[in-house]
């Protein structure tokens, strides 16, 4: 029996057609295209799916704004990861806004995961998180932050509500909880050193 291998790389302009396959035509990810944290609420509501898709396409044409995963040769997942400053909504959210003592300089944020339905529970999200951390490190990050949900506290979380990742996923990547802004949400950090 052979085991499938998950490969992760920065989502550059060259892999755009494969990234489109990951996002697909249906589901929450096909409507968001990872623009939730980049647009104001009114801009987000006013934008069509096609406009959000085009925004991600434009963003990824200039720099890798996330990582893509392949299971063997099939594109199966995506994780958004950029400097915290690239996500203006994070600073306004009561969950993710900065508080005294929070790092700002050289801080990168992992905001979202997409794993195609037929490829879940095969280690893709863990591989994406490792790839996101490496992408952040190569971009100069000294700290990487995530904003996962905690199904242990709220087991009724739907798959759609888990797009932030889960506390156990981030723990498996070496992240630690630094704050609990709500019972089912955590701010988790990984210090990459100087």
């Amino acid at each position: 029996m052979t085991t499938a291998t998950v490969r992760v790389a920065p989502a550059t302009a060259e892999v755009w057609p494969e990234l489109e396959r990951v996002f697909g035509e249906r589901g929450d990810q096909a409507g968001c295209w990872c623009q939730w944290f980049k647009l104001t609420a009114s801009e987000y509501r006013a934008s069509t799916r096609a406009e959000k898709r085009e925004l991600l396409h434009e963003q990824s044409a200039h720099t890798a704004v996330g990582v893509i995963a392949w299971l063997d040769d099939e594109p199966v997942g995506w994780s958004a990861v950029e400097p915290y400053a690239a996500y203006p909504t994070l600073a306004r959210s009561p969950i993710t806004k900065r508080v005294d003592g929070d790092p700002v300089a050289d801080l990168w944020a992992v905001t979202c995961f997409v794993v195609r339905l037929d490829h879940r529970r095969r280690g893709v999200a863990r591989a994406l998180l490792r790839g996101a951390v490496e992408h952040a490190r190569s971009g100069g990050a000294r700290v990487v932050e995530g904003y996962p949900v905690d199904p242990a506290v709220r087991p009724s979380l739907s798959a759609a509500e888990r797009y932030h990742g889960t506390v156990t996923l981030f723990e498996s990547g070496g992240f630690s909880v630094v704050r609990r802004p709500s019972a089912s949400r955590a701010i988790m950090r990984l210090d990459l050193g100087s």
Side-chain angles (χ1 to χ4, degrees), residues 83-85 98-99 101-108 142-143 145 189:
Y84 182 89
R98 304 288 79 195
V99 298
D102 279 349
V104 177
D106 304 321
L107 169 68
W108 282 50
R142 289 191 302 171
V143 177
E145 204 169 70
R189 279 192 204 122

Side-chain angles (χ1 to χ4, degrees), residues 96-178:
T96 56
K97 69 180 178 183
R98 304 288 79 195
V99 298
D100 287 343
D102 279 349
V104 177
D106 304 321
L107 169 68
W108 282 50
V110 179
T111 59
C112 137
F113 294 87
V114 174
V115 177
R116 288 174 48 195
L117 186 60
D118 50 339
H119 297 286
R120 292 182 182 163
R121 300 191 178 276
R122 297 169 83 182
V124 175
R126 279 186 171 77
L128 283 165
L129 182 57
R130 283 191 304 271
V133 168
E134 287 312 307
H135 180 56
R137 184 188 317 271
S138 70
R142 289 191 302 171
V143 177
V144 182
E145 204 169 70
Y147 315 103
V149 295
D150 193 346
V153 173
R154 192 170 146 222
S156 63
L157 286 164
S158 70
E161 292 174 294
R162 296 172 191 232
Y163 75 93
H164 302 288
T166 63
V167 167
T168 56
L169 169 67
F170 279 87
E171 285 174 339
S172 75
F175 286 70
S176 300
V177 174
V178 294

Side-chain angles (χ1 to χ4, degrees), residues 24-88:
E25 299 290 325
R26 297 187 328 206
D28 292 332
Q29 73 281 355
C32 181
W33 289 89
C34 282
Q35 298 306 302
W36 177 253
F37 295 108
K38 293 194 168 205
L39 302 174
T40 66
S42 59
E43 290 170 335
Y44 186 86
R45 283 191 301 274
S47 299
T48 67
R49 284 178 177 228
E51 289 168 334
K52 291 172 192 153
R53 178 194 161 281
E54 188 54 34
L55 284 170
L56 183 60
H57 189 215
E58 289 170 8
Q59 293 156 4
S60 63
H62 305 294
T63 186
V65 295
V67 294
I68 184 171
W70 294 265
L71 194 56
D72 289 331
D73 291 324
E74 181 72 16
V76 296
W78 149 269
S79 180
V81 57
E82 289 186 87
Y84 182 89
Y87 301 110

